[in-house]
Amino acid sequence: MQRFEDSIYDLIVETSTNLPGDVRRAVAAGRSLEDKATRSGLALTTIAHNIGMAERQISPICQDTGMPTFFIHTPVGGSQLEIKRDIHTAIARATRDGKLRPNSVDSLTGRNSGDNLGEGTPVIHFEQWEEEHVEVRLILKGGGCENKNIQYSLPAELEGLGKAGRDLDGIRKCVLHAVYQAQGQGCSAGFIGVGIGGDRASGYELAKQQLFRKVDDINPNQELRELEEYIMENANKLGIGTMGFGGEVTLLGCKAGVMNRLPASFFVSVAYNCWAFRRQGVLIDAGSGEIREWLYERGTGISVGEDEAAVSAAADEALTGGAAWADGAAPAEEAAHGSSPREIRLTTPISEEDIRALRVGDVVILSGDLHTGRDALHKYLTDHESPVDLNGAVIYHCGPVMLKDEEGWHVKAAGPTTSIREEPYQGDIIKKFGIRAVIGKGGMGAKTLQALNEHGGVYLNAIGGAAQYYAECIKKVDGVDFMEFGIPEAMWHLTVDGFAAIVTMDAHGNSLHADVEKDSAEKLAQFREAVFK
């Protein structure tokens, strides 16, 4: 199969940069249900714009290109060793070309391999079949949504839902709880795959395999079909909304599968996937290695609710304060005072006075210096000094996709990462360095909220997955420190202009994330009673 490596490379690029048609239609359907003047409506508009940008620029939809995971069917007699070698070569090539971010990290040393290759990466599952061609399916599932995967062992006592027994109703409660616990940290609105039965390992694999089903397919198992329909109807009643901002659209798809289990074990495994649902597949000629057929409709030219120009204009207007916010979208404090969200333009370094003037709901437009920082940097800064002055600065929870040429470094994708991982460090670092703003997605916890209040800081929620939209706001790469941490974890020093994000945690003790979680917990309780007998 002389063309096999090129075919795998094409599959990787397509999966990373171009959402399939069924996913685009699901996003468009979600947009039609959400008031465009709300925070969730704003987020969905920006998501739609980002999808179009990634397609046009052939750049990653999200900067976290995830763990490349292949499910492959091969004819009897095909060499799996040769297929694996070609996949490794294609992975390394796609990483060099900026279609994948280097994500393979040694679990003991923390060293990034730099080419997405290493022990256990990429993940490749082989199975033989009696067909004459090779089938390859690929999913790029980012770490933010992978971290919201969850597995239940029944019977169990679930928060807000009570006892979940070893029956269909217990499974129903597990799936609803899985959506609830994800909140906005997995870049909702999302898709979930549910694996019922198996052991701990096979249950998770079954759940992830469900994500390869088409969004609009119909489950042939009537009981599972009714379960999927129930979850799709009721999960959105939790009010979590896109990015966890509150709203009508929390879930875009639910697929469930079942396998036998041991008498002593009853596992329900849920694989959560963000809106950037990057999966594709191909049939490959076993003789030449050329692609014969794409397994999912390619998304090129399929709109997400409006024409591209209209989506672009709406996203720009919304994220620069032009959208009117619908009744009930503002936080309780603002609603009580009858005030409307404001657009605030700030340039770094930012004063404490300017920060304390901000309130939850304000749209902040940033210009000036921005410094990226993720897990490795936060751990380092706890015990060391910063290489740059961070007094009045902004830290961006982001691991960008970067390429270097003779002119220097260039940002290819730069959306936010999930912030809650930095909760053990963030408050101490804010106090130590005088940081005024933290940008990320999904919000942070009580320790960070207290530090924002005591030391004068805010948390700004960027739109998760909007890697092309935010990369466009980055005008210059000023330098980098700690490259030994690897490209995603290095501290990149950037100049930005017009970088828009929403205040969701302010210096007055207010947190939109805590409010939405409390509200959704109350709504979750309505699903305690049995539905499936």
Side-chain angles (χ1 to χ4, degrees), residues 42-344:
L42 178 156
L44 281 168
T45 297
T46 308
I47 285 167
H49 183 36
N50 187 80
I51 291 170
M53 293 179 70
E55 176 192 334
R56 291 195 310 275
Q57 297 166 10
I58 318 179
S59 290
I61 296 163
C62 175
Q63 78 290 336
D64 185 356
T65 55
M67 173 72 80
T69 302
F70 295 86
F71 289 86
I72 304 174
H73 283 97
T74 62
V76 176
S79 173
Q80 295 180 1
L81 293 176
E82 291 182 8
I83 288 174
K84 188 174 182 179
R85 281 195 293 267
D86 282 348
I87 288 175
H88 283 197
T89 303
I91 286 282
R93 177 181 161 195
T95 306
R96 288 194 305 272
D97 292 348
K99 310 305 181 184
L100 295 176
R101 186 180 72 180
N103 277 346
S104 181
V105 176
D106 187 294
S107 295
L108 301 182
T109 67
R111 186 184 69 84
N112 192 309
S113 69
D115 57 7
N116 271 308
L117 301 179
E119 189 66 35
T121 57
V123 176
I124 306 175
H125 300 278
F126 283 107
E127 186 173 344
Q128 284 190 333
W129 65 352
E130 295 182 353
E131 303 291 336
E132 295 182 355
H133 48 266
V134 180
E135 179 189 79
V136 182
R137 296 178 191 258
L138 168 64
I139 187 167
L140 300 176
K141 190 169 181 293
C145 60
E146 184 72 8
N147 288 346
K148 303 315 295 183
N149 292 354
I150 191 167
Q151 190 174 69
Y152 303 87
S153 180
L154 298 181
E157 190 75 22
L158 301 180
E159 176 188 2
L161 292 168
K163 182 176 290 185
R166 291 183 160 193
D167 54 22
L168 200 55
D169 214 67
I171 296 166
R172 172 189 70 89
K173 288 183 178 181
C174 290
V175 179
L176 285 173
H177 185 268
V179 176
Y180 162 75
Q181 63 87 35
Q183 291 290 311
Q185 295 174 16
C187 278
S188 58
F191 301 79
I192 55 173
V194 181
I196 303 164
D199 61 13
R200 287 199 179 274
S202 63
Y204 264 132
E205 182 177 333
L206 175 64
K208 189 166 288 189
Q209 286 177 339
Q210 300 310 301
L211 296 174
F212 284 102
R213 288 172 52 193
K214 294 181 180 178
V215 176
D216 56 357
D217 76 358
I218 297 176
N219 200 317
N221 183 310
Q222 182 178 345
E223 290 180 313
L224 295 184
R225 180 168 67 252
E226 291 173 356
L227 173 67
E228 292 170 355
E229 292 170 351
Y230 175 91
I231 296 298
M232 285 303 300
E233 178 183 353
N234 292 288
N236 289 326
K237 294 178 182 177
L238 296 176
I240 296 168
T242 302
M243 297 296 132
F245 289 165
E248 304 299 321
V249 184
T250 302
L251 198 61
L252 295 172
C254 173
K255 303 296 178 184
V258 64
M259 61 171 56
N260 283 13
R261 58 179 176 83
L262 290 170
S265 302
F266 196 125
F267 297 114
V268 178
S269 311
V270 180
Y272 188 94
N273 205 97
C274 60
W275 68 262
F277 188 13
R278 293 158 294 172
R279 55 99 168 92
Q280 186 54 273
V282 288
L283 293 181
I284 294 177
D285 186 277
S288 66
E290 294 182 345
I291 294 174
R292 291 173 46 185
E293 180 183 336
W294 293 87
L295 299 180
Y296 303 90
E297 180 184 8
R298 300 173 78 180
T300 303
I302 298 176
S303 72
V304 282
E306 299 170 358
D307 64 87
E308 177 62 23
V311 169
S312 176
D316 289 339
E317 181 183 17
L319 272 181
T320 53
W325 299 72
D327 292 342
E333 181 178 343
E334 288 187 45
H337 290 82
S339 59
S340 58
R342 305 166 299 167
E343 174 192 330
I344 309 295

Side-chain angles (χ1 to χ4, degrees), residues 474-521:
I474 298 171
K475 306 305 178 184
K476 183 183 177 185
V477 179
D478 298 311
V480 61
D481 285 295
F482 308 115
M483 277 295 283
E484 62 269 25
F485 295 163
I487 285 177
E489 298 283 351
M491 188 181 194
W492 295 93
H493 311 297
L494 311 170
T495 297
V496 302
D497 185 37
F499 191 107
I502 302 168
V503 178
T504 52
M505 300 170 68
D506 64 24
H508 309 285
N510 302 308
S511 170
L512 173 68
H513 308 283
D515 291 345
V516 170
E517 183 170 0
K518 179 181 178 182
D519 179 65
S520 60

Side-chain angles (χ1 to χ4, degrees), residues 368-386:
D369 297 333
L370 199 66
H371 310 280
T372 68
R374 286 170 41 110
D375 308 62
L377 181 71
H378 279 72
K379 182 177 184 297
Y380 177 89
L381 292 180
T382 300
D383 302 316
H384 301 82
E385 292 303 311
S386 170

